[in-house]
Amino acid sequence: MFKKRDGFLKISEDKKRLVSNFFSLSALQGINLVLPLITLQYLVRVLGVENYGLINFVVSIIMYFNILISFGFELSATREISIHREDNKKISEIFSAVMIIKTIMLLFSLVTLSMLVLFIDSFKAHALLYYATFGIVIGDSIFPSWFFQGMERMKYITYINVFSKSLFAVLIFVFIKEKTDYIYVPLLNSAGSIIGGVYALWLVFKLFPIQFVIPSKEIIYTQLKDSFRFFLSRIANNGSRYFATTIIGLYFGNLLVGYYSMVEKLFYAFMSIGSIISQTIYPYMSRTRNIQFFKKIFIFIVGLSILLLLPIICFNEEILFLVFGVRDAILSKIFIIVFSAAIFSIASALLGYPLLAALGHIKYANNSLIYASFIYVGYTSLVVIFTQNIYLVSSAISIYMALGFLFRVYYVRKTKILF
């Protein structure tokens, strides 16, 4: 009787935590959606599409460093923290090892950026812009979101991000008044990121019974080894996002990279539906392996996404004008091409880490994106070299998302984890 009662309480606690984490991440993504839409409209109109495109081109370069420093810890360390969260000594070792690795990679990234600025003219011409944007990497490297997710305390991520992003949005309107003020965009963004990261670190030591320790070489090696599998998939997934922006900036100029970046911001805002659910249930699925629960979530989220996507595509011109104040046939076509992959992306996100990786098939979750990215990079490169057609280049992201989904469907069927 007591066992049943304990089991009942355990289930109730799990559900309560899932609901709390879902609303925390939903609030965070809501802020991530609403505030950029407000500031983007202002930035595009004040700075112009070309300066806005330049800013996003530089961001696409800097984010490669961010991928390196993240190194897949947002998945591997999250899982380890979730599994060992009752062992204070173990989570202290994990936390310390990850932060040491991130610090070393941050220093390496800064040296690499300095070499690029020193020896490549296009980097040297916008050196201040690159260094100002690099502050985002510093902030992200010290923000232990993976720790809060592993402890299933996402509300702290929400509080910090809401504050820093709200402050950033307000300061945008205060400091940016004309086209030449574009340098303030990465400076303000970096300042918010660093302040948020420092405060998050302070919260970790204040709220949780952990200490910073000097981990053994074996623990550091284990963290690197375990994260490397996820790192490859992060290169494939996140790298593909910035690869298209980089290619368009190099071959088509700041105006078209501005158009593409505008659409991309809306696309990834819509895709946050999948990421919210994925991040929420990943620790839970790692612990419980509740397949019936996953099936219900998958069907509901994919169905909801389809219902939301149809009117978005139909009224894309109105949405683009409302958000950015721009009406352009090229912009509209890029929007339709990119958004055609949205359902594949959301479904793929749900099949990946909350299912395949959480149930022990990490290799399949990673390989699906790695294989898709090889095809994506090859396709994009060939299209640029032989056609230089902006629509074909824009379609690369749709091809990548669809392939990633199909590979994951294949692995789900191969492992028979849903049957």
Side-chain angles (χ1 to χ4, degrees), residues 57 245-254 256 381 384-385 388 393:
F57 174 73
T245 306
T246 303
I247 289 295
I248 293 172
L250 289 172
Y251 285 90
F252 296 94
N254 291 333
L256 288 183
S381 301
V384 166
I385 293 171
Q388 295 208 355
V393 174

Side-chain angles (χ1 to χ4, degrees), residues 76-77 79-98 146-147 151 209-211 213 215-216 218-220 222-223 226:
S76 64
R79 185 171 184 272
E80 288 298 303
I81 293 292
S82 177
I83 293 171
H84 300 288
R85 66 185 180 197
E86 303 300 330
D87 186 341
N88 294 335
K89 180 182 178 181
K90 184 66 176 179
I91 63 173
S92 293
E93 291 176 342
I94 296 169
F95 179 85
S96 302
V98 171
W146 47 271
F147 179 84
M151 298 298 289
I210 67 168
Q211 295 180 335
V213 299
S216 65
E218 289 76 17
I219 292 175
I220 292 177
T222 298
Q223 290 302 316
D226 292 345

Side-chain angles (χ1 to χ4, degrees), residues 45-314:
R45 294 185 179 188
V46 174
L47 301 180
V49 176
E50 291 195 39
N51 277 341
Y52 179 74
L54 173 61
I55 291 170
N56 280 277
F57 174 73
V58 172
V59 169
S60 72
I61 299 296
I62 294 299
M63 285 301 102
Y64 291 116
F65 295 117
N66 208 34
I67 295 170
L68 171 64
I69 294 169
S70 296
F71 206 72
F73 291 124
E74 69 272 22
L75 294 170
S76 64
T78 294
R79 185 171 184 272
E80 288 298 303
I81 293 292
S82 177
I83 293 171
H84 300 288
R85 66 185 180 197
E86 303 300 330
D87 186 341
N88 294 335
K89 180 182 178 181
K90 184 66 176 179
I91 63 173
S92 293
E93 291 176 342
I94 296 169
F95 179 85
S96 302
V98 171
M99 294 307 296
I100 288 172
I101 295 169
K102 279 176 167 283
T103 300
I104 294 172
M105 290 182 172
L106 179 65
L107 294 174
F108 171 77
S109 297
L110 184 57
V111 170
T112 302
L113 176 62
S114 298
M115 297 296 288
L116 292 174
V117 168
L118 186 62
F119 293 109
I120 300 178
D121 290 338
S122 60
F123 279 78
K124 187 182 297 183
H126 299 288
L128 182 59
L129 188 59
Y130 279 100
Y131 281 118
T133 307
F134 189 80
I136 300 172
V137 181
I138 298 174
D140 285 350
S141 69
I142 61 177
F143 195 122
S145 58
W146 47 271
F147 179 84
F148 290 116
Q149 284 181 249
M151 298 298 289
E152 295 189 64
R153 296 294 185 269
M154 281 79 148
K155 64 181 181 180
Y156 298 114
I157 304 175
T158 302
Y159 297 154
I160 297 169
N161 276 283
V162 166
F163 172 76
S164 62
K165 291 181 184 299
S166 298
L167 179 62
F168 169 73
V170 171
L171 293 178
I172 285 289
F173 293 103
V174 173
F175 288 98
I176 298 177
K177 301 295 184 181
E178 55 188 39
K179 287 187 175 182
T180 54
D181 293 334
Y182 68 89
I183 189 64
Y184 294 126
V185 176
L187 281 174
L188 293 172
N189 204 2
S190 294
S193 179
I194 293 171
I195 292 171
V198 171
Y199 183 64
L201 279 179
W202 177 79
L203 273 181
V204 167
F205 291 104
K206 177 179 173 59
L207 299 176
F208 301 96
I210 67 168
Q211 295 180 335
F212 188 85
V213 299
I214 303 300
S216 65
K217 292 181 180 179
E218 289 76 17
I219 292 175
I220 292 177
Y221 173 75
T222 298
Q223 290 302 316
L224 282 169
K225 183 185 69 174
D226 292 345
S227 294
F228 185 71
R229 297 171 295 174
F230 294 105
F231 173 58
L232 293 178
S233 70
R234 294 297 89 182
I235 293 176
N237 193 30
N238 295 340
S240 65
R241 173 179 179 178
Y242 302 115
F243 182 74
T245 306
T246 303
I247 289 295
I248 293 172
L250 289 172
Y251 285 90
F252 296 94
N254 291 333
L255 178 63
L256 288 183
V257 80
Y259 280 164
Y260 183 82
S261 297
M262 290 155 64
V263 171
E264 183 192 54
K265 293 290 187 297
L266 297 179
F267 175 69
Y268 282 102
F270 183 80
M271 275 178 49
S272 66
I273 296 173
S275 66
I276 291 172
I277 302 300
S278 178
Q279 291 176 58
T280 300
I281 69 174
Y282 175 58
Y284 172 79
M285 288 295 296
S286 295
R287 289 187 294 105
T288 68
R289 301 183 169 223
N290 190 338
I291 297 298
Q292 292 304 315
F293 169 80
F294 176 84
K295 287 181 179 180
K296 293 176 183 178
I297 290 293
F298 182 85
I299 293 171
F300 175 75
I301 295 302
V302 172
L304 177 63
S305 301
I306 293 172
L307 291 177
L308 293 174
L309 182 62
L310 293 176
I312 289 175
I313 290 180
C314 290

